[in-house]
Amino acid sequence: MKAIRIHEFGGPEVLKYEDVNEPQPGLGEIRIKIIAAGVNPIDWKIRRGLIGEVPLPMIVGLDVAGIVDAVGQGDVLFQPGEEVFAKVSIGQGGYTEYTVARSKEVARKPKSIGFIESAAIPTAGLAAWQSIFDIAGLEKGQSVLIHGAAGGVGTFAVQFAKWKGAYVIGTASEKNAEFLKSIGADEVIDYKNQRFEDLVSNVDVVLDTVGGDTFERSWSVLKPGGLLVTTVASILEGEPKKRGVRAKRVMTQSDGKELAQIAAIIDEQKIKPVVTNVFPLADARKAHEMSETLHTRGKIVLRVRDDSK
Ligand SMILES: NC(=O)c1ccc[n+]([C@@H]2O[C@H](COP(=O)([O-])OP(=O)(O)OC[C@H]3O[C@@H](n4cnc5c(N)ncnc54)[C@H](OP(=O)(O)O)[C@@H]3O)[C@@H](O)[C@H]2O)c1
């Protein structure tokens, strides 16, 4: 089968489109015939060697949507032929024709959308879900400021928060303002021309997907006891207490049950993955170059095979 692998860490040029052996499902695992694979910043961070030791060569990618094509021994919960999506473990590979997933990482794909949109969900959707609900416990009537609202995580977070009944403020460049309002943002702050801390105060939750200066300037907009959740920044010990608030960095976990909850909300037409760019598998390099601009809207997805096959 074909796969995009890296044999060394580096720039987009280290992505190689090559032949590899098909994986076999082990105990409690299923094999997925992949139709589409989602692209995430973590993929190029791993490619660059920023995420610590991973065994090489390695098939890149974590997010897949496809069809169960073989099941291993044990309790696997899925049958061949079922349409599924998953965030697989690092090293199993998403940018390829077949992958193996642990049964608990997998969920049945939403019925109302295709494989391309389903492949856009796992990492970004779970990061948003775990930040907003598992960590922050966001409730109806609360307020949330989402930094990077137009990105992969942000577009899910805006929609989840709105679905829950929260007041949603997003930061994005001006070109994304109308788009963000159309998916549920009550207010959009143009971070290039406005300082969000001059416009926002007393929010219950900040979700930061940008880091750096944006993270540092976010402490002041929280209400006392409020919560700053970040997907990227390191939180200095003692800092939240000093500021009279709470803070947590999310470490997104694969979770088939949460993916099933997200699928249900999608099928109720409450939210929708935002896919703006689709590349063939062989063009993964272009997808990485685009993602590394840090200014894509929604998600980039690789088409691995035609879904009629
Ligand atoms: N810890 C975890 O478990 C976890 C999980 C998922 C993601 N992450 C990390 O979270 C980060 C975001 O992921 P993602 O998938 O959402 O990335 P992404 O899709 O690449 O985010 C791109 C978006 O960021 C926006 N942006 C860039 N600079 C901004 C700024 N200064 N203020 C506000 N918005 C800004 C851009 O909007 P404009 O074009 O309008 O500028 C663009 O829409 C990445 O670093 C990723 O690795 C971590």
Side-chain angles (χ1 to χ4, degrees), residues 89-167:
S89 308
I90 291 178
Q92 290 295 354
Y95 299 5
T96 181
E97 293 187 77
Y98 293 88
T99 195
V100 157
R102 286 177 290 159
S103 194
K104 64 180 187 191
E105 297 169 334
V106 181
R108 291 179 182 84
K109 121 184 189 315
K111 291 186 175 62
S112 56
I113 59 173
F115 290 98
I116 295 277
E117 285 175 304
S118 299
I121 302 168
T123 295
L126 287 171
W129 186 275
Q130 289 169 15
S131 299
I132 294 237
F133 299 134
D134 298 349
I135 296 175
L138 189 74
E139 287 178 10
K140 184 174 175 167
Q142 291 191 314
S143 52
V144 58
L145 171 65
I146 299 168
H147 292 305
V153 178
T155 48
F156 282 105
V158 166
Q159 296 183 82
F160 289 153
K162 189 67 184 180
W163 167 73
K164 196 69 184 176
Y167 187 81

Side-chain angles (χ1 to χ4, degrees), residues 39-45 51 87 122-128 130-131 146-156 170-177 179-180 189-192 196 208-211 213-214 217 230-233 249-253 290-300:
V39 174
N40 291 286
I42 182 84
D43 302 345
W44 51 258
K45 290 180 185 178
I51 304 291
K87 174 181 192 287
T123 295
L126 287 171
Q130 289 169 15
S131 299
I146 299 168
H147 292 305
V153 178
T155 48
F156 282 105
T171 61
S173 56
E174 205 270 328
K175 67 175 189 299
N176 282 314
F179 156 69
L180 284 171
I189 297 172
D190 169 8
Y191 70 86
K192 289 185 175 161
F196 62 83
D208 162 48
T209 73
V210 174
D213 177 53
T214 301
R217 287 159 46 217
T230 179
T231 62
V232 277
R249 179 166 172 164
V250 62
M251 292 293 179
T252 305
Q253 306 297 318
M290 179 175 275
S291 177
E292 287 179 87
T293 66
L294 307 179
H295 292 289
T296 48
R297 179 189 287 182
K299 296 289 303 176
I300 304 169

